[in-house]
Amino acid sequence: MMKGNKLVLAIPKGRIFREATPLLKAVGIEPEAEFDDPESRKLSFTTNKYGLNIIRVRSFDVATFVALGGAQLGFVGSDVLMEFDYQEIYAPLDLEIGKCRLIVAQTKETLEIDSPSRSSSMTVATKYPEVTKRYFAERGVQAECIKLNGAMELAPALNLSRRIVDLVDTGKTLAVNGLKEIEQIADVSSRLIVNRAALKTRPKLIGGWIKSFTEVVNGQKVK
Amino acid sequence: MTDTERNTLLPAGLSDILPEDAAFEAETVDRLISCFSMHGYQRVKPPLLEFEESLLSGVGVAVEPQTFRLMDPVSQRMMGMRADITPQISRIAQSRLVDAPRPLRLSYAGDVLRVRGSQLRPERQLTQVGAELIGSAAVEADAEIIVMAIRAIQSTGIEKLTVDLTMPRLVQLVLSRYGLSENNNQKLRQALDRKDAKAVSGLAGKAGHELRILLSATGVAHDGLKILKLAKWADDRAKEIERISCVVDLLTKNVPEIQLTIDPVEHRGFEYHTGIGFTIFSQDPAVEFAGGGRYRVKGVETEDGERATGVTLYIDSIMTALKRPEPNKRVYIPIGSPFSCIARLHDEGWITVSALQPVDDVDMAAQNQKCYYVYDGNELRHVKGLD
């Protein structure tokens, strides 16, 4: 149960984390020193703002914490919001960090043999089964998803699936593993998300943070 | 399946409510509904099951995906288990009570069953207590329902509440003005639901400007209304905004202690609503306690049909915020005590728990039965060993 004026901001580990710290600084949030220490086992950190704590969790879990009200604010990739359409989450601001793309890829060899537009079903290895099913269904293809949590690029070579749906940044990992991008599903960037009930019950506080982050993101664009 | 599983596992989202909690819930429901009757709302009791055609027509269309069906072996017709009671009340208002004088004030309490739970409420069987005010289009009716719901919740001892007012029609009006429709514009609807201003701008074309104003007005009611009133609106939208402004005034006057917010783009949870909608939140914990708003008894598809507004209180979430009082009115009656004493104690408001056979240690037996007092032939004494 949330007590008093406590506010929790959830930030994903990994890719987005590095780009998130300058943003925090720009809005005046200074986490305790251990926050920047990747070796630290701590999961929750105090900040210079009274009552504001930051938690560091997995990207998909940011959305879960915010949806269930464990955290009131969060940074999360739009890929996660596409996978889980949580009703309890608002995503008012594009933070313009963590930019990458969600794509479909397959091996260069199979590319000539079959094109995705001619199959009625296919196996796809992915971390995003919902997005994948929806995307292929719109094209009249039944996607049989194999849920993997990482190293999707291995799946075609080891005969788990013909295709993969994954995030790419530069496309290097794809190339190294003999894969070629065939379609793009979406552009991805990180969003500021807020819990619905928190925004309704503490409109000034949460609204204030949305405003601060918006000003910083817009300001950076001008520069 | 193990034996324990076979005997005790319940289907997902269903649960047993045990002693003390069950009694406390029943007391709370009584308190809430009696608050409605004090305001002149008369109780009705619709059945659990109805034929599909009647249950899922009109207002009921919106809850169709959440409805359990079964076949009536007698009439060989499909029946639906109610997933919401409001559609049943509007059916009653249009049929059996069509000649009753208006405005018609009805209340109800009962359980509903849903095919799926939500993220926040995994329960599939929910208890609803509600009230409907049928046959008035006045803003005073909107205010009456909201104020009464607040008073009812406050009567349980919960103090800090927030009311969020919504105008589900406003977005529809803006979209249709620019030749867009909500139904075939799911991406835009999703962007609005998420309050993603950038995506809304990208998807809405010419409607973008007005939608962005609506988005920016989300928040504290007085600030939001200022933003809305600064902009120039065509007649139909101006009317909606004027209406919500009147309701805000009435609420500020009547329940000044309540924090008011507005949200001109909120849509989820207001599928059958056609005018001002609202959600009542508790502030700590931040959860939804009640929701409701304006609708037409014949449903959203038609422009005719009586105007109505109503509220549903979500008993399950209200219960999570309440602390159950200690059961300290229980008295242990040792064997051999006269039956007349039991009747006298009941008149005085005590709960009696009678022994069925002699025991060695009366105090221990009393404690086991959760009694704080023992009747010792003449009067009540505290159970020994309890503070």
Side-chain angles (χ1 to χ4, degrees), chain A residues 2 4 81 85-88 90-92 94 191 196-197 200-201 203, chain B residues 119-120 162 164 193-196 198 259 263 266 268 281-282 284 288:
Chain A
M2 187 182 71
L81 295 177
D85 185 19
Y86 283 116
Q87 297 213 349
E88 299 301 320
Y90 293 138
D94 187 345
R191 306 299 159 100
R196 172 167 168 266
K200 298 300 181 196
T201 53
Chain B
Q119 286 147 9
L120 284 187
T162 289
D164 187 42
D193 284 342
R194 288 195 178 152
K195 308 216 184 305
D196 185 341
K198 196 176 148 194
Q259 168 174 268
D263 188 338
E266 187 76 280
R268 293 185 285 204
F281 292 90
S282 88
D284 191 9
E288 254 179 274

PDB file of all heavy atoms in Angstrom, chain A residues 2 4 81 85-88 90-92 94 191 196-197 200-201 203, chain B residues 119-120 162 164 193-196 198 259 263 266 268 281-282 284 288:
ATOM      1  N   MET A   2       0.506   2.201  -0.831  1.00  0.00           N
ATOM      2  CA  MET A   2       1.293   3.422  -0.930  1.00  0.00           C
ATOM      3  C   MET A   2       1.091   4.273   0.317  1.00  0.00           C
ATOM      4  O   MET A   2      -0.005   4.434   0.809  1.00  0.00           O
ATOM      5  CB  MET A   2       0.806   4.198  -2.140  1.00  0.00           C
ATOM      6  CG  MET A   2       1.624   5.400  -2.460  1.00  0.00           C
ATOM      7  SD  MET A   2       0.867   6.219  -3.857  1.00  0.00           S
ATOM      8  CE  MET A   2      -0.600   6.861  -3.112  1.00  0.00           C
ATOM      9  N   GLY A   4       1.468   7.881   2.265  1.00  0.00           N
ATOM     10  CA  GLY A   4       1.676   9.324   2.234  1.00  0.00           C
ATOM     11  C   GLY A   4       2.027   9.848   0.861  1.00  0.00           C
ATOM     12  O   GLY A   4       1.310   9.630  -0.098  1.00  0.00           O
ATOM     13  N   LEU A  81       5.006  -1.315 -24.641  1.00  0.00           N
ATOM     14  CA  LEU A  81       3.615  -0.855 -24.634  1.00  0.00           C
ATOM     15  C   LEU A  81       2.823  -1.495 -25.773  1.00  0.00           C
ATOM     16  O   LEU A  81       1.618  -1.684 -25.676  1.00  0.00           O
ATOM     17  CB  LEU A  81       3.556   0.666 -24.756  1.00  0.00           C
ATOM     18  CG  LEU A  81       4.169   1.434 -23.580  1.00  0.00           C
ATOM     19  CD1 LEU A  81       4.112   2.930 -23.842  1.00  0.00           C
ATOM     20  CD2 LEU A  81       3.460   1.093 -22.281  1.00  0.00           C
ATOM     21  N   ASP A  85      -1.032  -4.081 -23.776  1.00  0.00           N
ATOM     22  CA  ASP A  85      -1.833  -2.864 -23.796  1.00  0.00           C
ATOM     23  C   ASP A  85      -2.462  -2.687 -22.415  1.00  0.00           C
ATOM     24  O   ASP A  85      -3.620  -2.986 -22.203  1.00  0.00           O
ATOM     25  CB  ASP A  85      -2.904  -2.962 -24.881  1.00  0.00           C
ATOM     26  CG  ASP A  85      -3.682  -1.665 -25.006  1.00  0.00           C
ATOM     27  OD1 ASP A  85      -3.175  -0.626 -24.538  1.00  0.00           O
ATOM     28  OD2 ASP A  85      -4.786  -1.690 -25.554  1.00  0.00           O
ATOM     29  N   TYR A  86      -1.657  -2.215 -21.471  1.00  0.00           N
ATOM     30  CA  TYR A  86      -2.171  -2.027 -20.112  1.00  0.00           C
ATOM     31  C   TYR A  86      -3.119  -0.836 -20.063  1.00  0.00           C
ATOM     32  O   TYR A  86      -2.747   0.277 -20.424  1.00  0.00           O
ATOM     33  CB  TYR A  86      -1.019  -1.757 -19.137  1.00  0.00           C
ATOM     34  CG  TYR A  86      -0.225  -2.959 -18.747  1.00  0.00           C
ATOM     35  CD1 TYR A  86       1.117  -3.058 -19.079  1.00  0.00           C
ATOM     36  CD2 TYR A  86      -0.810  -3.981 -18.015  1.00  0.00           C
ATOM     37  CE1 TYR A  86       1.874  -4.157 -18.693  1.00  0.00           C
ATOM     38  CE2 TYR A  86      -0.066  -5.081 -17.632  1.00  0.00           C
ATOM     39  CZ  TYR A  86       1.267  -5.167 -17.967  1.00  0.00           C
ATOM     40  OH  TYR A  86       2.010  -6.245 -17.588  1.00  0.00           O
ATOM     41  N   GLN A  87      -4.341  -1.093 -19.580  1.00  0.00           N
ATOM     42  CA  GLN A  87      -5.318  -0.009 -19.499  1.00  0.00           C
ATOM     43  C   GLN A  87      -4.964   1.029 -18.445  1.00  0.00           C
ATOM     44  O   GLN A  87      -5.462   2.139 -18.468  1.00  0.00           O
ATOM     45  CB  GLN A  87      -6.682  -0.589 -19.128  1.00  0.00           C
ATOM     46  CG  GLN A  87      -7.226  -1.532 -20.153  1.00  0.00           C
ATOM     47  CD  GLN A  87      -8.731  -1.462 -20.234  1.00  0.00           C
ATOM     48  OE1 GLN A  87      -9.361  -0.853 -19.390  1.00  0.00           O
ATOM     49  NE2 GLN A  87      -9.292  -2.066 -21.250  1.00  0.00           N
ATOM     50  N   GLU A  88      -4.149   0.627 -17.492  1.00  0.00           N
ATOM     51  CA  GLU A  88      -3.892   1.523 -16.365  1.00  0.00           C
ATOM     52  C   GLU A  88      -2.709   2.444 -16.601  1.00  0.00           C
ATOM     53  O   GLU A  88      -2.259   3.109 -15.689  1.00  0.00           O
ATOM     54  CB  GLU A  88      -3.658   0.701 -15.097  1.00  0.00           C
ATOM     55  CG  GLU A  88      -4.841  -0.155 -14.709  1.00  0.00           C
ATOM     56  CD  GLU A  88      -6.094   0.658 -14.462  1.00  0.00           C
ATOM     57  OE1 GLU A  88      -5.967   1.744 -13.860  1.00  0.00           O
ATOM     58  OE2 GLU A  88      -7.175   0.251 -14.905  1.00  0.00           O
ATOM     59  N   TYR A  90      -0.853   5.526 -18.774  1.00  0.00           N
ATOM     60  CA  TYR A  90      -0.831   6.614 -19.748  1.00  0.00           C
ATOM     61  C   TYR A  90       0.614   6.778 -20.213  1.00  0.00           C
ATOM     62  O   TYR A  90       1.540   6.621 -19.419  1.00  0.00           O
ATOM     63  CB  TYR A  90      -1.273   7.931 -19.110  1.00  0.00           C
ATOM     64  CG  TYR A  90      -2.728   7.977 -18.696  1.00  0.00           C
ATOM     65  CD1 TYR A  90      -3.093   8.548 -17.486  1.00  0.00           C
ATOM     66  CD2 TYR A  90      -3.722   7.477 -19.515  1.00  0.00           C
ATOM     67  CE1 TYR A  90      -4.422   8.617 -17.098  1.00  0.00           C
ATOM     68  CE2 TYR A  90      -5.051   7.536 -19.147  1.00  0.00           C
ATOM     69  CZ  TYR A  90      -5.403   8.117 -17.939  1.00  0.00           C
ATOM     70  OH  TYR A  90      -6.710   8.176 -17.561  1.00  0.00           O
ATOM     71  N   ALA A  91       0.793   7.141 -21.474  1.00  0.00           N
ATOM     72  CA  ALA A  91       2.148   7.354 -21.994  1.00  0.00           C
ATOM     73  C   ALA A  91       2.208   8.725 -22.637  1.00  0.00           C
ATOM     74  O   ALA A  91       2.214   8.855 -23.858  1.00  0.00           O
ATOM     75  CB  ALA A  91       2.496   6.267 -22.995  1.00  0.00           C
ATOM     76  N   PRO A  92       2.202   9.779 -21.829  1.00  0.00           N
ATOM     77  CA  PRO A  92       2.011  11.113 -22.374  1.00  0.00           C
ATOM     78  C   PRO A  92       3.207  11.701 -23.134  1.00  0.00           C
ATOM     79  O   PRO A  92       3.037  12.653 -23.866  1.00  0.00           O
ATOM     80  CB  PRO A  92       1.702  11.962 -21.135  1.00  0.00           C
ATOM     81  CG  PRO A  92       2.312  11.232 -20.003  1.00  0.00           C
ATOM     82  CD  PRO A  92       2.263   9.784 -20.355  1.00  0.00           C
ATOM     83  N   ASP A  94       6.967  11.196 -25.394  1.00  0.00           N
ATOM     84  CA  ASP A  94       8.038  10.474 -26.065  1.00  0.00           C
ATOM     85  C   ASP A  94       9.353  11.076 -25.592  1.00  0.00           C
ATOM     86  O   ASP A  94       9.627  12.250 -25.830  1.00  0.00           O
ATOM     87  CB  ASP A  94       7.887  10.648 -27.586  1.00  0.00           C
ATOM     88  CG  ASP A  94       8.878   9.790 -28.357  1.00  0.00           C
ATOM     89  OD1 ASP A  94       9.847   9.305 -27.739  1.00  0.00           O
ATOM     90  OD2 ASP A  94       8.673   9.608 -29.567  1.00  0.00           O
ATOM     91  N   ARG A 191       9.207   5.926 -23.694  1.00  0.00           N
ATOM     92  CA  ARG A 191       8.129   6.834 -23.287  1.00  0.00           C
ATOM     93  C   ARG A 191       8.164   7.042 -21.792  1.00  0.00           C
ATOM     94  O   ARG A 191       8.580   6.153 -21.038  1.00  0.00           O
ATOM     95  CB  ARG A 191       6.761   6.232 -23.664  1.00  0.00           C
ATOM     96  CG  ARG A 191       6.636   5.838 -25.106  1.00  0.00           C
ATOM     97  CD  ARG A 191       6.823   7.040 -25.997  1.00  0.00           C
ATOM     98  NE  ARG A 191       7.184   6.668 -27.340  1.00  0.00           N
ATOM     99  CZ  ARG A 191       6.309   6.635 -28.349  1.00  0.00           C
ATOM    100  NH1 ARG A 191       5.049   6.907 -28.124  1.00  0.00           N
ATOM    101  NH2 ARG A 191       6.720   6.317 -29.558  1.00  0.00           N
ATOM    102  N   ARG A 196      -2.512   5.456 -14.053  1.00  0.00           N
ATOM    103  CA  ARG A 196      -3.748   6.212 -14.225  1.00  0.00           C
ATOM    104  C   ARG A 196      -4.287   6.744 -12.895  1.00  0.00           C
ATOM    105  O   ARG A 196      -4.552   7.937 -12.757  1.00  0.00           O
ATOM    106  CB  ARG A 196      -4.775   5.300 -14.901  1.00  0.00           C
ATOM    107  CG  ARG A 196      -6.151   5.864 -14.986  1.00  0.00           C
ATOM    108  CD  ARG A 196      -7.009   5.037 -15.943  1.00  0.00           C
ATOM    109  NE  ARG A 196      -8.386   5.400 -15.803  1.00  0.00           N
ATOM    110  CZ  ARG A 196      -9.257   4.774 -15.004  1.00  0.00           C
ATOM    111  NH1 ARG A 196      -8.839   3.758 -14.278  1.00  0.00           N
ATOM    112  NH2 ARG A 196     -10.489   5.170 -14.925  1.00  0.00           N
ATOM    113  N   ALA A 197      -4.440   5.856 -11.918  1.00  0.00           N
ATOM    114  CA  ALA A 197      -5.025   6.282 -10.639  1.00  0.00           C
ATOM    115  C   ALA A 197      -4.134   7.307  -9.953  1.00  0.00           C
ATOM    116  O   ALA A 197      -4.618   8.240  -9.305  1.00  0.00           O
ATOM    117  CB  ALA A 197      -5.249   5.077  -9.740  1.00  0.00           C
ATOM    118  N   LYS A 200      -4.732  10.672 -11.462  1.00  0.00           N
ATOM    119  CA  LYS A 200      -6.041  11.208 -11.079  1.00  0.00           C
ATOM    120  C   LYS A 200      -6.050  11.691  -9.635  1.00  0.00           C
ATOM    121  O   LYS A 200      -6.714  12.661  -9.303  1.00  0.00           O
ATOM    122  CB  LYS A 200      -7.128  10.138 -11.231  1.00  0.00           C
ATOM    123  CG  LYS A 200      -7.314   9.630 -12.625  1.00  0.00           C
ATOM    124  CD  LYS A 200      -7.700  10.723 -13.558  1.00  0.00           C
ATOM    125  CE  LYS A 200      -7.910  10.205 -14.958  1.00  0.00           C
ATOM    126  NZ  LYS A 200      -7.916  11.290 -15.926  1.00  0.00           N
ATOM    127  N   THR A 201      -5.369  10.960  -8.758  1.00  0.00           N
ATOM    128  CA  THR A 201      -5.472  11.311  -7.349  1.00  0.00           C
ATOM    129  C   THR A 201      -4.416  12.322  -6.918  1.00  0.00           C
ATOM    130  O   THR A 201      -4.580  13.001  -5.929  1.00  0.00           O
ATOM    131  CB  THR A 201      -5.353  10.060  -6.454  1.00  0.00           C
ATOM    132  OG1 THR A 201      -4.169   9.372  -6.802  1.00  0.00           O
ATOM    133  CG2 THR A 201      -6.539   9.137  -6.665  1.00  0.00           C
ATOM    134  N   PRO A 203      -2.963  14.917  -9.130  1.00  0.00           N
ATOM    135  CA  PRO A 203      -2.789  15.562 -10.439  1.00  0.00           C
ATOM    136  C   PRO A 203      -1.683  16.610 -10.443  1.00  0.00           C
ATOM    137  O   PRO A 203      -0.991  16.757 -11.448  1.00  0.00           O
ATOM    138  CB  PRO A 203      -4.160  16.194 -10.716  1.00  0.00           C
ATOM    139  CG  PRO A 203      -4.803  16.336  -9.388  1.00  0.00           C
ATOM    140  CD  PRO A 203      -4.292  15.196  -8.554  1.00  0.00           C
TER     141      PRO A 203
ATOM    142  N   GLN B 119      -6.694  -6.366 -15.064  1.00  0.00           N
ATOM    143  CA  GLN B 119      -5.384  -6.424 -14.418  1.00  0.00           C
ATOM    144  C   GLN B 119      -5.477  -6.052 -12.952  1.00  0.00           C
ATOM    145  O   GLN B 119      -4.871  -6.667 -12.096  1.00  0.00           O
ATOM    146  CB  GLN B 119      -4.434  -5.438 -15.087  1.00  0.00           C
ATOM    147  CG  GLN B 119      -3.958  -5.879 -16.416  1.00  0.00           C
ATOM    148  CD  GLN B 119      -3.743  -4.700 -17.333  1.00  0.00           C
ATOM    149  OE1 GLN B 119      -3.803  -3.557 -16.915  1.00  0.00           O
ATOM    150  NE2 GLN B 119      -3.497  -4.998 -18.575  1.00  0.00           N
ATOM    151  N   LEU B 120      -6.254  -5.011 -12.688  1.00  0.00           N
ATOM    152  CA  LEU B 120      -6.320  -4.537 -11.315  1.00  0.00           C
ATOM    153  C   LEU B 120      -7.281  -5.362 -10.496  1.00  0.00           C
ATOM    154  O   LEU B 120      -7.135  -5.499  -9.296  1.00  0.00           O
ATOM    155  CB  LEU B 120      -6.752  -3.075 -11.274  1.00  0.00           C
ATOM    156  CG  LEU B 120      -5.675  -2.093 -11.669  1.00  0.00           C
ATOM    157  CD1 LEU B 120      -6.149  -0.691 -11.444  1.00  0.00           C
ATOM    158  CD2 LEU B 120      -4.399  -2.339 -10.881  1.00  0.00           C
ATOM    159  N   THR B 162     -11.173  11.482  -4.595  1.00  0.00           N
ATOM    160  CA  THR B 162     -10.982  12.328  -5.759  1.00  0.00           C
ATOM    161  C   THR B 162     -12.066  11.971  -6.767  1.00  0.00           C
ATOM    162  O   THR B 162     -12.366  10.794  -6.939  1.00  0.00           O
ATOM    163  CB  THR B 162      -9.617  12.029  -6.414  1.00  0.00           C
ATOM    164  OG1 THR B 162      -8.594  12.513  -5.567  1.00  0.00           O
ATOM    165  CG2 THR B 162      -9.488  12.697  -7.761  1.00  0.00           C
ATOM    166  N   ASP B 164     -12.985  12.248 -10.757  1.00  0.00           N
ATOM    167  CA  ASP B 164     -12.500  12.575 -12.091  1.00  0.00           C
ATOM    168  C   ASP B 164     -13.711  12.632 -13.023  1.00  0.00           C
ATOM    169  O   ASP B 164     -14.454  11.663 -13.141  1.00  0.00           O
ATOM    170  CB  ASP B 164     -11.519  11.495 -12.557  1.00  0.00           C
ATOM    171  CG  ASP B 164     -10.857  11.860 -13.867  1.00  0.00           C
ATOM    172  OD1 ASP B 164     -10.469  13.029 -14.024  1.00  0.00           O
ATOM    173  OD2 ASP B 164     -10.716  10.970 -14.733  1.00  0.00           O
ATOM    174  N   ASP B 193      -6.282   7.267 -25.630  1.00  0.00           N
ATOM    175  CA  ASP B 193      -6.370   6.538 -24.364  1.00  0.00           C
ATOM    176  C   ASP B 193      -5.071   6.625 -23.580  1.00  0.00           C
ATOM    177  O   ASP B 193      -5.065   6.624 -22.361  1.00  0.00           O
ATOM    178  CB  ASP B 193      -6.697   5.059 -24.616  1.00  0.00           C
ATOM    179  CG  ASP B 193      -8.152   4.852 -24.984  1.00  0.00           C
ATOM    180  OD1 ASP B 193      -8.950   5.772 -24.720  1.00  0.00           O
ATOM    181  OD2 ASP B 193      -8.482   3.795 -25.546  1.00  0.00           O
ATOM    182  N   ARG B 194      -3.964   6.679 -24.313  1.00  0.00           N
ATOM    183  CA  ARG B 194      -2.668   6.734 -23.634  1.00  0.00           C
ATOM    184  C   ARG B 194      -2.202   8.158 -23.378  1.00  0.00           C
ATOM    185  O   ARG B 194      -1.135   8.369 -22.844  1.00  0.00           O
ATOM    186  CB  ARG B 194      -1.626   6.025 -24.475  1.00  0.00           C
ATOM    187  CG  ARG B 194      -1.806   4.547 -24.463  1.00  0.00           C
ATOM    188  CD  ARG B 194      -0.567   3.888 -24.991  1.00  0.00           C
ATOM    189  NE  ARG B 194      -0.719   2.449 -24.943  1.00  0.00           N
ATOM    190  CZ  ARG B 194      -0.113   1.627 -25.772  1.00  0.00           C
ATOM    191  NH1 ARG B 194       0.669   2.111 -26.712  1.00  0.00           N
ATOM    192  NH2 ARG B 194      -0.285   0.339 -25.654  1.00  0.00           N
ATOM    193  N   LYS B 195      -2.985   9.108 -23.833  1.00  0.00           N
ATOM    194  CA  LYS B 195      -2.648  10.523 -23.691  1.00  0.00           C
ATOM    195  C   LYS B 195      -1.306  10.839 -24.362  1.00  0.00           C
ATOM    196  O   LYS B 195      -0.501  11.601 -23.849  1.00  0.00           O
ATOM    197  CB  LYS B 195      -2.580  10.931 -22.213  1.00  0.00           C
ATOM    198  CG  LYS B 195      -3.813  10.553 -21.447  1.00  0.00           C
ATOM    199  CD  LYS B 195      -4.146  11.589 -20.414  1.00  0.00           C
ATOM    200  CE  LYS B 195      -5.325  11.168 -19.580  1.00  0.00           C
ATOM    201  NZ  LYS B 195      -6.522  10.850 -20.399  1.00  0.00           N
ATOM    202  N   ASP B 196      -1.084  10.201 -25.494  1.00  0.00           N
ATOM    203  CA  ASP B 196       0.157  10.384 -26.225  1.00  0.00           C
ATOM    204  C   ASP B 196      -0.038  11.534 -27.222  1.00  0.00           C
ATOM    205  O   ASP B 196      -0.486  11.336 -28.351  1.00  0.00           O
ATOM    206  CB  ASP B 196       0.477   9.063 -26.955  1.00  0.00           C
ATOM    207  CG  ASP B 196       1.819   9.108 -27.650  1.00  0.00           C
ATOM    208  OD1 ASP B 196       2.332  10.223 -27.877  1.00  0.00           O
ATOM    209  OD2 ASP B 196       2.339   8.036 -27.982  1.00  0.00           O
ATOM    210  N   LYS B 198       1.904  13.397 -28.974  1.00  0.00           N
ATOM    211  CA  LYS B 198       2.632  13.389 -30.232  1.00  0.00           C
ATOM    212  C   LYS B 198       1.952  12.480 -31.258  1.00  0.00           C
ATOM    213  O   LYS B 198       1.737  12.874 -32.406  1.00  0.00           O
ATOM    214  CB  LYS B 198       4.057  12.907 -29.972  1.00  0.00           C
ATOM    215  CG  LYS B 198       5.010  13.223 -31.102  1.00  0.00           C
ATOM    216  CD  LYS B 198       6.411  12.795 -30.718  1.00  0.00           C
ATOM    217  CE  LYS B 198       7.182  12.352 -31.940  1.00  0.00           C
ATOM    218  NZ  LYS B 198       8.403  11.620 -31.563  1.00  0.00           N
ATOM    219  N   GLN B 259     -11.359  16.598  -3.977  1.00  0.00           N
ATOM    220  CA  GLN B 259     -10.518  17.062  -5.082  1.00  0.00           C
ATOM    221  C   GLN B 259     -11.174  16.699  -6.415  1.00  0.00           C
ATOM    222  O   GLN B 259     -11.600  15.575  -6.608  1.00  0.00           O
ATOM    223  CB  GLN B 259      -9.159  16.395  -4.953  1.00  0.00           C
ATOM    224  CG  GLN B 259      -8.276  16.547  -6.169  1.00  0.00           C
ATOM    225  CD  GLN B 259      -6.888  16.000  -5.932  1.00  0.00           C
ATOM    226  OE1 GLN B 259      -5.985  16.707  -5.516  1.00  0.00           O
ATOM    227  NE2 GLN B 259      -6.706  14.712  -6.199  1.00  0.00           N
ATOM    228  N   ASP B 263     -11.071  15.062 -17.264  1.00  0.00           N
ATOM    229  CA  ASP B 263     -10.331  14.356 -18.294  1.00  0.00           C
ATOM    230  C   ASP B 263     -11.203  14.276 -19.545  1.00  0.00           C
ATOM    231  O   ASP B 263     -12.025  13.381 -19.680  1.00  0.00           O
ATOM    232  CB  ASP B 263      -9.978  12.952 -17.791  1.00  0.00           C
ATOM    233  CG  ASP B 263      -9.035  12.256 -18.753  1.00  0.00           C
ATOM    234  OD1 ASP B 263      -8.995  12.655 -19.934  1.00  0.00           O
ATOM    235  OD2 ASP B 263      -8.340  11.313 -18.328  1.00  0.00           O
ATOM    236  N   GLU B 266     -10.838  10.764 -21.717  1.00  0.00           N
ATOM    237  CA  GLU B 266     -10.980   9.403 -21.165  1.00  0.00           C
ATOM    238  C   GLU B 266     -12.163   8.697 -21.812  1.00  0.00           C
ATOM    239  O   GLU B 266     -13.225   9.269 -21.994  1.00  0.00           O
ATOM    240  CB  GLU B 266     -11.174   9.476 -19.655  1.00  0.00           C
ATOM    241  CG  GLU B 266     -11.172   8.119 -18.961  1.00  0.00           C
ATOM    242  CD  GLU B 266      -9.773   7.531 -18.824  1.00  0.00           C
ATOM    243  OE1 GLU B 266      -9.294   6.982 -19.825  1.00  0.00           O
ATOM    244  OE2 GLU B 266      -9.184   7.622 -17.733  1.00  0.00           O
ATOM    245  N   ARG B 268     -12.077   4.699 -21.862  1.00  0.00           N
ATOM    246  CA  ARG B 268     -12.156   3.323 -21.386  1.00  0.00           C
ATOM    247  C   ARG B 268     -13.015   3.270 -20.127  1.00  0.00           C
ATOM    248  O   ARG B 268     -12.873   4.077 -19.222  1.00  0.00           O
ATOM    249  CB  ARG B 268     -10.758   2.792 -21.096  1.00  0.00           C
ATOM    250  CG  ARG B 268      -9.967   2.657 -22.375  1.00  0.00           C
ATOM    251  CD  ARG B 268      -8.625   2.035 -22.156  1.00  0.00           C
ATOM    252  NE  ARG B 268      -7.696   2.945 -21.538  1.00  0.00           N
ATOM    253  CZ  ARG B 268      -6.386   2.839 -21.655  1.00  0.00           C
ATOM    254  NH1 ARG B 268      -5.878   1.872 -22.367  1.00  0.00           N
ATOM    255  NH2 ARG B 268      -5.589   3.682 -21.065  1.00  0.00           N
ATOM    256  N   PHE B 281     -12.107   7.987  -7.015  1.00  0.00           N
ATOM    257  CA  PHE B 281     -10.906   7.293  -6.539  1.00  0.00           C
ATOM    258  C   PHE B 281     -10.705   7.573  -5.054  1.00  0.00           C
ATOM    259  O   PHE B 281     -11.038   8.659  -4.582  1.00  0.00           O
ATOM    260  CB  PHE B 281      -9.658   7.839  -7.241  1.00  0.00           C
ATOM    261  CG  PHE B 281      -9.560   7.530  -8.698  1.00  0.00           C
ATOM    262  CD1 PHE B 281     -10.089   8.390  -9.643  1.00  0.00           C
ATOM    263  CD2 PHE B 281      -8.901   6.385  -9.135  1.00  0.00           C
ATOM    264  CE1 PHE B 281      -9.978   8.113 -11.000  1.00  0.00           C
ATOM    265  CE2 PHE B 281      -8.794   6.112 -10.483  1.00  0.00           C
ATOM    266  CZ  PHE B 281      -9.329   6.972 -11.414  1.00  0.00           C
ATOM    267  N   SER B 282     -10.132   6.620  -4.344  1.00  0.00           N
ATOM    268  CA  SER B 282      -9.623   6.958  -3.017  1.00  0.00           C
ATOM    269  C   SER B 282      -8.178   7.401  -3.235  1.00  0.00           C
ATOM    270  O   SER B 282      -7.528   6.977  -4.186  1.00  0.00           O
ATOM    271  CB  SER B 282      -9.693   5.757  -2.085  1.00  0.00           C
ATOM    272  OG  SER B 282      -8.529   4.985  -2.191  1.00  0.00           O
ATOM    273  N   ASP B 284      -5.531   7.221  -0.969  1.00  0.00           N
ATOM    274  CA  ASP B 284      -4.507   6.365  -0.403  1.00  0.00           C
ATOM    275  C   ASP B 284      -5.149   5.163   0.245  1.00  0.00           C
ATOM    276  O   ASP B 284      -5.755   5.310   1.296  1.00  0.00           O
ATOM    277  CB  ASP B 284      -3.698   7.157   0.632  1.00  0.00           C
ATOM    278  CG  ASP B 284      -2.467   6.392   1.055  1.00  0.00           C
ATOM    279  OD1 ASP B 284      -2.174   5.356   0.423  1.00  0.00           O
ATOM    280  OD2 ASP B 284      -1.809   6.807   2.006  1.00  0.00           O
ATOM    281  N   GLU B 288      -9.782   2.772  -7.656  1.00  0.00           N
ATOM    282  CA  GLU B 288     -11.105   3.192  -8.092  1.00  0.00           C
ATOM    283  C   GLU B 288     -12.172   2.632  -7.177  1.00  0.00           C
ATOM    284  O   GLU B 288     -12.214   1.430  -6.940  1.00  0.00           O
ATOM    285  CB  GLU B 288     -11.342   2.585  -9.475  1.00  0.00           C
ATOM    286  CG  GLU B 288     -11.249   3.556 -10.599  1.00  0.00           C
ATOM    287  CD  GLU B 288     -11.465   2.837 -11.919  1.00  0.00           C
ATOM    288  OE1 GLU B 288     -10.467   2.323 -12.441  1.00  0.00           O
ATOM    289  OE2 GLU B 288     -12.600   2.803 -12.402  1.00  0.00           O
TER     290      GLU B 288
END
